[in-house]
């Protein structure tokens, strides 16, 4: 390999670091050692030379000093100075008075060479280094007397001699030695570099060539090979690189062949995928069209099925108001119950369709959790009582009661799970438990469990659960009935509400279904808190044979700090009564035909308590009639809510279950209203006409949208009920025409429809309709709708408070909407004071907290202007703007608060 080798900067740095650094370090260490040793030797040689001069001089100067012969002493030191003038700078003799006796130089500053007062020469010679001079002082003693032992005869110090030595000659010798040491180190470094460069030429250059060859191989030049003979491991490395290049070349050729084959196969696959994509696109369009057709079919079927059911259920309820025989009333109730069951099945199918299509819209409204659970369980208690099952509710005391969410869907989940548990349990109990799994300042995670002692589910059948139209056993649908949609709807509802659901089950031992739901906490108190001071410390006797219900009831009473005595059988009951008087006695009643002994026991209990409460499994008027003569104060149905239980303990007036016969209500006072009802179905039109005739003074009925448009242009109405699906012009188009040009552009128009999906509901309201009434029409719902849209409201109040929006935000509950508005109005004085105080102090943090709280309250009270102002002001405060900059917005907010407070008083007083 010819040519000049070029080394990189890194190679040079490595050479210098690996070759020069050790050499220089060792050279410096050795040179320093020998130099310092030479310096020390020269210094010691100078001292020794001075000692050889000053010691005899001190002995010789003793004679001149003892005889005060200055001439002798002067000649002595001049002679010695002259003989050693190259390195002696000064010689001086001092007497005991530290005065100069003789010196070789009289121009010298003697203070530098004098013996300091704090030092003496009793120990012998004194050596002191000052700059480039050495001061040597030796004591001068009297001469010894001949023939006398000098070891024991003390001699007297006459003075001392000072020898000032010049170190210039020694320093020159030292520098000369250091120079030679440096030259030797430098020669060593040069020799080291010479050998290093030769090593780089013989070793590093081949390695560099190998690196270059590897770089070419990496670039794809696989025909690169290393040539020449190298020594030792370098030759092995060369052969390895050449072998690697050969292997890579073979692998590259083989890989290229595989790539060519794969490219050919991929081209064919892409052509097939393109064909499949076209087919999938066609299938997707067909599926979307099928889904659209299915949704349209479901909507049409909903209308077609609900329309006759509306007439059946509506007229059955009307007929139940008339005088009937017991058999006739029983037949009508059976018809109503069957129609309601059919309606429930239709609702399940429609809910499943909405969930499957992702079109389920969750409402968001405040509700009381315990009241919602109690309402649901009351509807299911009859079925449990008919099978003799123990139905128990356990709600964690720490679980918040005031929540904000879709209460109807929560009740649907509870209904499906509890109804299934009751359906598949023949004996034992069904227990609903609700706990607060996790709670934050804004949300609570509810964990619910529904446990039963029913037939259970085998491991083979558990995989079939949560499947549409499927049940654990094919014989179940024949034995228990049902469509198999309950659990799948429940699962999808729970998932849609960001929750989870699961179950554990053992065949023959029962099942436990659990679910979790994260629900927002309401900033308002929906239900009034119980005044526990009314029952705290009072005594209560509980007679309940069933263990779960008894423990649940006792636990509730003890939580209220009541003195509770529990009894599970009739035998020890008499012992508990002896000598005691209870504030309350809660007695479970199971049989419709009580025995004489039980009647006597009730009479005895009546004498030992102030308040006798009868606990029944379901509404049973027969039992009430049988025990009225015993003075029963209250009758409660199980499972009971804490609110109903508390009312039975604190309400002094007797309260019994309703009688079997419907009470004869006084005729309603009709409202002076002129209404129009439009429906193409004669049965439905007749039903709504019948219901409206009982509520308003005038009702006009029409059977088509065209007639409705024509009549609306001729007469003005107070309220219009419009069916959606009609053959000629549907209700949406008719509403738009009425809103565009008629005498009823501002008349409330209520949509009467069988069922609506989420986007269909939005379309109906966007067309100009004000509200929606769902079939089958309920008389109370119809009356509530009339009150809602015909209640007098002043013009000023309607501009500040949007009552329609308030009703929408409260889920159509007029009482709840009024309560929300009243709570907002009651909080305004305190809020106004806090805002004014924060503005005066310039406290932005407190102002932001107050506005945030007010903003939350406006979301449920139908005050859009106030809500908008709060949102805008809160956003600006979060961005860091100060109170002075926002003073105009704050004053506008205070002005709007005054308007809302005044408007709320007007609306609530109406």
């Amino acid at each position: 390999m010819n040519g000049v080798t070029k080394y990189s900067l890194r190679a040079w740095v490595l050479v210098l670091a690996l070759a020069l650094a050790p050499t220089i370090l060792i050279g410096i260490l050795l040179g320093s050692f020998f130099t310092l040793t030479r310096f020390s030797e020269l210094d010691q040689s100078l001292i020794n030379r001075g000692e050889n001069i000053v010691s005899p001089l001190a002995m010789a100067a003793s004679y001149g000093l003892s005889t005060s012969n200055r001439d002798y002493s002067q000649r002595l030191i001049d002679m010695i100075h002259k003989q050693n003038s190259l390195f002696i700078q000064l010689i001086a003799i001092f007497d005991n008075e530290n005065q100069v006796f003789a010196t070789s130089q009289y121009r010298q500053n003697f203070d530098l060479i004098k013996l300091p007062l704090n030092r003496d020469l009793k120990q012998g010679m004194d050596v002191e280094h000052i700059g480039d001079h050495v001061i040597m002082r030796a004591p001068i003693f009297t001469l010894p007397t001949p023939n006398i032992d000098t070891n024991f005869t003390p001699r007297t110090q006459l003075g001392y001699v000072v020898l000032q030595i010049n170190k210039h000659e020694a320093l020159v010798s030292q520098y000369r030695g250091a120079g030679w040491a440096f030259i030797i180190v430098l020669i060593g470094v040069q020799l080291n570099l010479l050998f290093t460069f030769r090593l780089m030429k013989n070793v590093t250059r081949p390695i560099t060539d190998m690196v270059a060859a590897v770089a070419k191989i990496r670039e794809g030049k696989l025909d690169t090979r290393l040539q020449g003979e190298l020594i030792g491991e370098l030759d092995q490395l060369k052969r390895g690189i050449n072998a690697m290049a050969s292997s890579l070349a073979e692998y590259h050729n083989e890989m290229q062949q595989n790539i060519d084959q794969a490219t050919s196969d991929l081209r064919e696959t892409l052509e097939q995928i393109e064909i499949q994509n076209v087919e999938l696109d066609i299938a997707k369009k067909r599926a979307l069209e099928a889904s659209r057709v299915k949704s349209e079919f479901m909507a049409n079927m909903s209308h077609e099925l609900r329309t006759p059911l509306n007439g059946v259920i509506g007229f059955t309820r009307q007929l139940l108001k008339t005088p009937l025989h017991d058999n006739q009333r029983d037949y009508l109730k059976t018809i109503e119950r069957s129609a309601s069951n059919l309606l429930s099945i239709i609702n399940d199918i429609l809910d499943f369709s909405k969930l499957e299509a992702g079109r389920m819209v969750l409402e968001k409204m405040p509700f009381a959790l315990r009241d919602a659970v109690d309402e649901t369980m009351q509807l299911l208690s009859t079925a449990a009582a008919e099978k003799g099952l123990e139905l128990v509710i356990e709600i964690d005391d720490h679980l918040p009661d005031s929540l904000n969410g879709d209460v109807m869907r929560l009740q649907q989940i509870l209904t499906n799970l509890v109804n299934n548990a009751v359906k598949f349990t023949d004996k034992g109990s069904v227990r609903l438990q609700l706990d607060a799994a996790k709670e934050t300042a804004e949300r609570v995670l509810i964990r619910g469990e529904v446990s039963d002692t029913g037939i259970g589910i085998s491991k083979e059948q558990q995989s079939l659960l949560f499947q549409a139209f499927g049940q654990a056993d094919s014989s179940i649908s024949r034995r228990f009935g049902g469509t198999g949609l309950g659990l799948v709807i429940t699962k999808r509802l729970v998932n849609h509400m960001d929750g989870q659901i699961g179950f554990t089950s053992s065949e023959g031992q029962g099942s436990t279904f659990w679910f979790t739901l994260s629900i927002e906490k309401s900033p308002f108190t929906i239900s009034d808190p119980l005044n526990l001071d009314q029952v705290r410390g009072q005594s209560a006797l509980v007679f309940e044979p069933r263990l779960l219900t008894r423990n649940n009831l006792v636990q509730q009473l003890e939580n209220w700090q009541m003195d509770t005595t529990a009894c599970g059988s009739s035998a020890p009951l008499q012992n508990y009564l002896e000598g005691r008087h209870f504030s309350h006695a809660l007695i479970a009643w199971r049989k419709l035909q009580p025995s004489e002994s039980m009647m006597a026991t009730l009479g005895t209990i009546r004498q030992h308590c102030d308040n006798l409460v009868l606990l029944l499994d379901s509404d049973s008027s027969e039992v009430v009639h049988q025990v009225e003569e015993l003075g029963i104060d209250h009758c409660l149905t199980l499972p009971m809510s804490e609110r109903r239980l508390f009312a039975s303990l604190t309400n002094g007036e007797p309260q019994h279950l309703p009688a079997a016969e419907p009470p004869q209500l006084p005729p309603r006072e009709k409202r002076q209203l002129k209404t129009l009802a439009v429906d193409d179905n004669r049965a439905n039109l007749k039903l709504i006409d019948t219901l409206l005739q009982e509520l308003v003074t005038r009702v006009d009925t029409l059977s088509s949208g065209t007639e409705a448009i024509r009549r609306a242009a001729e007469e003005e109405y107070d309220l219009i009920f419009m069916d959606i699906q009609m053959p000629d012009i549907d209700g949406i188009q008719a509403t738009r025409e009425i809103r565009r040009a008629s005498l009823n552009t501002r008349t409330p128009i209520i949509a009467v429809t069988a069922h609506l999906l989420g986007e269909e509901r939005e379309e109906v309201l966007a067309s100009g309709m004000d509200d929606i009434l769902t079939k089958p029409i309920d008389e109370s719902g119809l009356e509530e709708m009339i009150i809602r849209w015909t209640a007098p409201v002043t013009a000023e109040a309607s501009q500040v408070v949007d009552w329609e929006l308030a009703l929408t935000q409260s889920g159509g509950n007029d009482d709840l909407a009024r309560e929300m508005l009243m709570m907002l109005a009651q909080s305004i004085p305190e809020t106004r004071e806090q805002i004014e105080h924060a503005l005066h102090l310039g406290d932005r943090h407190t102002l932001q907290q107050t506005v945030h709280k007010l903003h939350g309250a406006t979301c449920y009270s139908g005050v859009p202007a106030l809500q908008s102002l709060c949102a805008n002001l809160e956003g600006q405060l979060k961005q860091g703007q100060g109170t002075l900059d926002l003073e105009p917005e704050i004053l506008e907010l205070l002005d709007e608060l005054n308007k809302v407070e005044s408007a709320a008083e007007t609306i609530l007083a109406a």
Side-chain angles (χ1 to χ4, degrees), residues 144-145 148-155:
T145 304
I148 297 177
D149 187 0
T150 58
N151 294 329
F152 300 97
T153 301
R155 295 185 296 170

Side-chain angles (χ1 to χ4, degrees), residues 369-601:
L369 175 64
R370 286 166 176 78
D371 291 346
V373 173
D374 182 48
E375 179 183 343
T376 303
M377 300 303 286
Q378 284 298 305
L379 297 176
L380 301 172
S381 62
T382 302
E386 290 175 353
K387 301 181 71 173
L389 301 178
E390 185 178 9
L391 187 59
V392 181
I393 306 175
E394 297 179 7
I395 302 180
D396 185 4
D397 291 337
H398 300 92
L399 186 60
D401 190 57
S402 300
L403 303 177
N404 197 30
D406 196 329
V407 62
M408 187 184 72
R409 297 305 175 186
L410 173 62
Q411 290 178 320
Q412 186 176 359
I413 293 171
L414 296 178
T415 299
N416 287 341
L417 293 178
V418 176
N419 189 47
N420 273 355
V422 172
K423 182 189 298 184
F424 299 113
T425 303
D426 293 330
K427 61 180 180 178
S429 63
V430 173
R431 182 174 63 93
L432 169 64
Q433 183 176 359
L434 297 178
D435 298 309
K438 182 179 180 181
E439 184 177 359
T440 63
E442 297 179 353
R443 304 188 69 85
V444 60
L445 180 64
I446 299 177
R447 176 181 172 84
E449 287 188 3
V450 178
S451 306
D452 63 66
T453 57
I455 61 177
I457 307 170
S458 65
K459 293 188 178 298
E460 295 79 9
Q461 296 169 342
Q462 289 181 8
S463 60
L464 300 177
L465 292 182
F466 301 119
Q467 294 184 9
F469 305 102
Q471 291 177 323
D473 187 354
S474 59
S475 63
I476 287 179
S477 59
R478 296 191 299 270
R479 178 183 175 189
F480 297 101
T483 61
L485 286 175
L487 283 180
V488 69
I489 291 175
T490 300
K491 178 178 175 61
R492 297 195 180 187
L493 277 177
V494 170
N495 293 338
H496 194 54
M497 298 171 72
D498 298 328
Q500 296 179 340
I501 188 172
F503 71 96
T504 58
S505 181
S506 298
E507 189 173 7
Q509 298 182 6
S511 305
T512 297
F513 283 81
W514 61 267
F515 64 90
T516 59
L517 293 175
S518 179
I519 302 180
E520 180 183 347
K521 295 164 66 174
S522 175
F524 304 105
T525 302
I526 306 303
S527 56
D528 296 331
L530 302 179
N531 185 10
L532 299 182
D533 292 336
Q534 293 181 309
V535 297
R536 185 177 289 112
Q538 295 183 358
S539 59
L541 172 65
V542 177
F543 175 72
E544 170 57 71
R546 297 182 297 190
L547 179 62
L548 291 178
T549 302
R550 183 171 70 250
N551 291 342
N552 186 25
L553 189 56
V554 170
Q555 181 65 39
Q556 183 64 68
L557 296 176
E558 289 180 347
N559 289 341
W560 292 346
Q561 301 180 15
M562 296 182 66
D563 182 13
T564 306
T565 301
C567 180
S569 60
S570 303
L573 181 60
Q574 190 64 34
N575 296 330
Y576 288 118
L577 294 175
E578 290 182 1
R580 297 191 62 182
H581 191 85
F582 296 92
S583 304
H584 311 278
L586 292 86
I587 309 300
W589 189 277
R590 296 286 176 270
K591 299 179 181 179
L592 293 179
Q593 299 295 332
S595 61
E596 293 183 0
S597 60
M598 189 61 192
M599 297 291 287
T601 301

Side-chain angles (χ1 to χ4, degrees), residues 103-365:
T103 179
S104 61
Q105 291 183 6
Y106 285 97
R107 297 178 181 179
Q108 180 70 28
N109 182 10
F110 296 107
D111 293 336
L112 182 65
I113 62 176
K114 282 183 179 181
L115 180 68
L117 297 177
N118 58 351
R119 290 161 62 180
D120 57 38
L121 299 174
K122 293 179 180 181
Q123 301 298 328
M125 186 181 300
D126 177 65
V127 180
E128 183 179 1
H129 295 267
I130 300 176
D132 56 353
H133 299 86
V134 177
I135 307 298
M136 301 184 71
R137 303 182 184 93
I140 300 175
F141 296 99
T142 58
L143 293 174
T145 304
N147 302 323
I148 297 177
D149 187 0
T150 58
N151 294 329
F152 300 97
T153 301
R155 295 185 296 170
T156 304
Q157 181 177 343
L158 301 176
Y160 61 91
V161 60
V162 178
L163 182 66
Q164 183 177 356
I165 301 173
N166 192 346
K167 295 172 62 177
H168 292 166
E169 183 178 355
L171 289 175
V172 170
S173 299
Q174 290 176 351
Y175 294 153
R176 186 182 299 112
W180 280 109
F182 175 75
I183 292 172
I184 292 172
V185 171
L186 186 61
I187 292 172
V189 170
Q190 291 177 346
L191 292 175
N192 190 14
L193 284 176
L194 177 63
F195 288 112
T196 300
F197 288 140
R198 290 188 63 84
L199 176 65
M200 289 181 62
K201 181 178 179 181
N202 296 328
V203 177
T204 309
R205 195 169 78 179
I207 293 177
T208 304
D209 294 338
M210 292 179 186
V211 171
V214 172
K216 291 181 179 180
I217 294 173
R218 187 173 65 245
E219 293 173 359
K221 301 176 181 179
L222 302 180
D223 56 346
T224 303
R225 298 292 185 272
L226 291 171
Q227 305 297 332
E229 294 294 331
L230 302 178
I231 60 174
E233 288 79 2
L234 291 177
D235 192 64
Q236 295 179 4
L237 182 59
K238 179 200 72 173
R239 291 197 298 270
I241 292 174
N242 290 338
M244 179 189 69
S246 300
S247 299
L248 288 175
E250 295 176 0
Y251 174 75
H252 180 267
N253 293 333
E254 182 181 355
M255 182 179 65
Q256 187 62 41
Q257 294 176 0
N258 293 336
I259 290 175
D260 294 339
Q261 181 63 37
T263 302
S264 177
D265 296 342
L266 179 61
R267 186 178 294 108
E268 296 178 0
T269 303
L270 289 175
E271 293 176 355
Q272 295 177 358
I273 291 176
E274 187 176 357
I275 296 173
Q276 292 176 355
N277 285 338
V278 174
E279 294 176 350
L280 287 174
D281 186 58
I282 296 174
K284 178 183 177 182
K285 291 180 180 178
R286 291 176 179 173
L288 291 175
E289 179 64 18
S291 177
R292 185 192 65 79
V293 172
K294 184 183 74 171
S295 298
E296 185 177 347
F297 171 76
M298 296 299 293
N300 292 333
M301 287 302 298
S302 169
H303 182 268
E304 295 301 327
L305 291 175
R306 284 171 172 265
T307 296
L309 279 177
N310 179 44
V312 172
I313 296 175
F315 281 110
T316 300
R317 291 172 179 171
Q318 288 296 109
L319 191 57
L320 284 171
K321 298 178 183 179
T322 63
L324 298 169
H325 298 299
D326 292 340
N327 289 338
Q328 293 173 334
R329 186 174 302 279
D330 184 55
Y331 296 155
L332 288 175
K333 287 184 177 180
T334 302
I335 294 172
E336 182 186 16
R337 187 163 51 250
S338 300
S340 298
N341 290 337
L342 178 58
L343 184 62
S344 176
I345 293 174
I346 294 172
N347 289 337
D348 284 346
I349 296 174
L350 290 172
D351 285 341
F352 174 74
S353 176
K354 287 193 290 184
L355 287 168
E356 189 179 45
R359 301 165 72 181
M360 174 70 75
V361 178
L362 297 177
E363 299 290 342
K364 189 175 182 181
M365 58 175 290

